[in-house]
Amino acid sequence: MLADRWNAIHQRIVQASHRVGRDPNEINVVTVTKYLDVEQTKEILDLGLDHIGENRTQQALLKWKELGDRGTWHFIGRLQRRKVKDILNRFTYLHSLDRFSLAQEIEKRAKAQNTSLKCFIQVNVSGEKTKTGISPQDLKEFSLEVANLSSIEIVGLMTMAPKTDNPEEVRPLFRELREKQRELQQLNQPQLTVPHLSMGMSQDFEVAIEEGATWIRLGSVLVGERSEET
Ligand SMILES: *Cc1c(COP(=O)(O)O)cnc(C)c1O
């Protein structure tokens, strides 16, 4: 059942890639397990889906305690500063670096623990007030400041599109994130190669792939919305 769903989605990923002449292997999937309990999350790992995405620290840490010896863990939600110490050394990626105070806390804690964190800078491309993220106008300055922090590896940019029934509506937002990536790359800073774009969710992952996503974050389309607590 889950395997069937994944096969169907994988086909869609391959087709979307081919529509724009991309290699489907460039597309990495984070399975968003926030709707799932430990047992169901284990099924995801058993299926070979290795990248687990969680958006709430408490739930995330409970699951990590049970399953953290497997998979690669991505924190995708808003992260409170006081939780940074819990995420480090457990989660490999943060998709939601959205303010400098958070970056400073990561730098401080990671240094002390002699570790580092791979971060996506979250950009609020849509400008929605309910969404966090750096505004496109502030992105360059923010990125240059974060690039100075040795314990943060900026791996790319992330955005969340507004909810929509028509994914074509959000295509311009994905395109803009890619444009922002290009602008940062043109600064030619060694810490700002920003190779990745984390964009696209259940509603719009095919459009995101067409626009250059290298990480897509899939929840409901893959796992349904069982026991959602958000
Ligand atoms: C929940 C969530 C997703 C996945 O959403 P679906 O629509 O269920 O695929 C992706 N990214 C973030 C940041 C989320 O919070």
Side-chain angles (χ1 to χ4, degrees):
M1 160 79 191
L2 186 60
D4 292 341
R5 275 203 196 211
W6 166 238
N7 283 336
I9 290 164
H10 187 248
Q11 278 312 307
R12 290 169 63 187
I13 292 171
V14 170
Q15 284 160 6
S17 306
H18 286 166
R19 278 199 290 280
V20 290
R22 295 186 63 193
D23 176 355
N25 293 317
E26 286 175 14
I27 319 297
N28 303 285
V29 176
V30 175
T31 306
V32 178
T33 50
K34 64 189 182 192
Y35 314 113
L36 305 183
D37 64 20
V38 171
E39 212 33 56
Q40 294 163 330
T41 303
K42 188 168 164 293
E43 288 172 30
I44 299 289
L45 288 162
D46 289 343
L47 204 61
L49 291 165
D50 274 340
H51 293 279
I52 299 296
E54 284 284 331
N55 71 333
R56 291 178 178 243
T57 35
Q58 206 182 343
Q59 283 183 15
L61 291 169
L62 280 173
K63 279 183 206 164
W64 187 89
K65 239 177 101 184
E66 301 291 330
L67 302 170
D69 55 337
R70 303 176 59 186
T72 301
W73 293 67
H74 297 245
F75 198 82
I76 61 171
R78 187 170 165 88
L79 181 60
Q80 291 176 287
R81 269 192 300 168
R82 63 190 170 83
K83 302 287 189 187
V84 165
K85 60 180 186 314
D86 302 323
I87 293 301
L88 289 174
N89 284 327
R90 298 189 171 103
F91 284 66
T92 307
Y93 290 89
L94 174 68
H95 287 244
S96 46
L97 181 60
D98 60 358
R99 56 207 193 278
F100 196 65
S101 58
L102 179 61
Q104 286 175 309
E105 178 70 10
I106 294 167
E107 174 74 358
K108 187 178 102 188
R109 296 281 178 179
K111 266 224 167 95
Q113 294 188 37
N114 202 11
T115 187
S116 62
L117 189 62
K118 295 181 193 293
C119 294
F120 290 86
I121 296 172
Q122 183 171 355
V123 187
N124 187 358
V125 187
S126 70
E128 282 180 294
K129 289 227 163 53
T130 54
K131 293 241 180 351
T132 64
I134 306 299
S135 75
Q137 305 87 277
D138 297 338
L139 179 64
K140 181 176 149 190
E141 193 186 338
F142 181 82
S143 304
L144 286 167
E145 283 182 44
V146 175
N148 287 325
L149 307 178
S150 58
S151 304
I152 292 182
E153 183 188 341
I154 303 172
V155 291
L157 304 178
M158 176 275 213
T159 200
M160 275 182 84
K163 238 186 158 42
T164 178
D165 293 329
N166 176 10
E168 285 304 325
E169 281 175 6
V170 299
R171 186 185 293 277
L173 302 178
F174 294 149
R175 201 165 278 178
E176 186 176 345
L177 194 69
R178 186 169 189 189
E179 191 48 44
K180 289 288 150 195
Q181 177 193 35
R182 215 171 272 139
E183 285 173 28
L184 292 181
Q185 289 170 338
Q186 281 165 357
L187 299 173
N188 276 319
Q189 299 286 317
Q191 309 300 333
L192 282 181
T193 56
V194 281
H196 289 285
L197 290 174
S198 169
M199 57 187 194
M201 323 198 314
S202 294
Q203 63 170 17
D204 50 25
F205 69 92
E206 288 152 304
V207 169
I209 289 169
E210 289 169 10
E211 296 301 331
T214 58
W215 285 93
I216 57 177
R217 309 179 309 270
L218 300 181
S220 46
V221 71
L222 182 53
V223 302
E225 297 195 17
R226 293 176 279 180
S227 69
E228 182 178 4
E229 285 163 37
T230 49

